[in-house]
Amino acid sequence: MPLRRPLIAALVALGAAAALPGRAAEPGAAAMAGHRAGYKLALEKARDNSDIARAEGVMLYEVVDACDGWATRQRFQLRLTDRDGQEVETTSDYSTFETKDGRTIRFSLTQTSQGAVSQRIAGDAAVTPEGGKVTYTEPEAKQEELPKGTILPMLHTIRALAAAKTGTRMMVVPLFDGTSAEGAQDTTTIIAGWTPPQANAKFPPLASLGSARMRVAFFDRDNGGNGGGASAPDYEVGLRYYENGVADEMQMDFGEFSVNGTLQELAMLPNPC
């Protein structure tokens, strides 16, 4: 019962890189806030043909404003129980550094199953107007071309929030997040309308902020480098994002089953810049 991918889209983590001089941050980048968040994971539903009877776990996510980029880390643990009572525990430790101009990312992912390493992915990528290139160091040394229009995870979050504020309901782009050894994936993001600030007694830092719900579907690209958007998605994630980049609700759909993630703890981190 391995997880095929860790949580994507807006969840990126710790690394090191530097923005090139003269490259401006994406408009809206200043609104993204450093924070540390803890989520409880629980089974939302299992498909009729699924063997999954129970799913529970935790996810810890931290993003730090490193002035020229975002350094974040996501640690993910999920215990699955099948209908015969057998348990499988999967963990992942996912880290990246993405520069604020949205042009470079360094990434590292280690995933384990039952305590044994099942996957390692690491390397760096540079995005250009023509697409760009990924240089992998793990699981093997190789390079992959990125399709034209590729964007990186934090930039995807920023643009999705900007789209929500203007009433745009769909965003279709190739996304590279460093969780696949095969380069970029196609994504289709469906965006609900913008919600104005609402009372939030549990998490007061979010009470003064607007938010938007969105659902991101990921499609593997075929061997010819073409998008797979006409087929069923490989993976989907639904989130409610506040305008500072904090997500308090999420749903991860792995196909055979889906898991809800609920924010339990939130600490806002100071901006050192």
Side-chain angles (χ1 to χ4, degrees), residues 6-209:
L7 181 63
I8 59 81
L11 304 175
V12 293
L14 185 66
L20 296 179
R23 290 183 176 178
E26 175 81 6
M32 299 295 99
H35 64 280
R36 184 179 298 115
Y39 300 85
K40 180 180 179 180
L41 307 178
L43 182 67
E44 193 263 338
K45 64 179 178 181
R47 304 295 188 269
D48 291 340
N49 62 345
S50 173
D51 194 37
I52 302 299
R54 183 181 177 87
E56 58 185 357
V58 295
M59 185 177 73
L60 302 176
Y61 174 64
E62 182 178 83
V63 56
V64 176
D65 188 334
C67 301
D68 58 0
W70 292 278
T72 75
R73 185 177 182 182
Q74 176 212 318
R75 286 164 289 175
F76 183 88
Q77 177 268 324
L78 188 65
R79 182 180 294 109
L80 302 176
T81 306
D82 68 18
R83 299 186 188 280
D84 295 326
Q86 295 183 314
E87 292 187 349
V88 173
E89 182 172 286
T90 298
T91 68
S92 71
D93 193 340
Y94 173 45
S95 64
T96 73
F97 184 97
E98 180 180 335
T99 52
K100 288 186 177 179
D101 58 15
R103 299 191 188 185
T104 62
I105 188 171
R106 183 172 294 177
F107 55 91
S108 175
L109 167 68
T110 300
Q111 188 165 309
T112 68
S113 180
Q114 298 295 81
V117 174
S118 57
Q119 185 178 44
R120 292 189 193 273
I121 301 173
D124 56 76
V127 176
T128 68
E130 293 73 34
K133 183 177 294 185
V134 186
T135 301
Y136 289 97
T137 56
E138 293 190 82
E140 61 179 321
K142 66 173 184 176
Q143 291 188 330
E144 293 282 348
E145 299 294 326
L146 295 173
K148 187 175 182 179
T150 296
I151 64 175
L152 302 179
M154 287 293 285
L155 184 56
H156 183 275
T157 300
I158 291 167
R159 290 187 178 175
L161 285 167
K165 289 179 180 179
T166 61
T168 302
R169 296 304 177 93
M170 181 181 292
M171 187 170 74
V172 180
V173 293
L175 173 69
F176 179 77
D177 62 7
T179 63
S180 169
E182 305 304 324
Q185 286 193 299
D186 283 320
T187 65
T188 298
T189 303
I190 305 300
I191 306 167
W194 187 252
T195 301
Q198 298 178 329
N200 195 326
K202 187 173 183 179
F203 302 111
L206 304 180
S208 63
L209 303 175

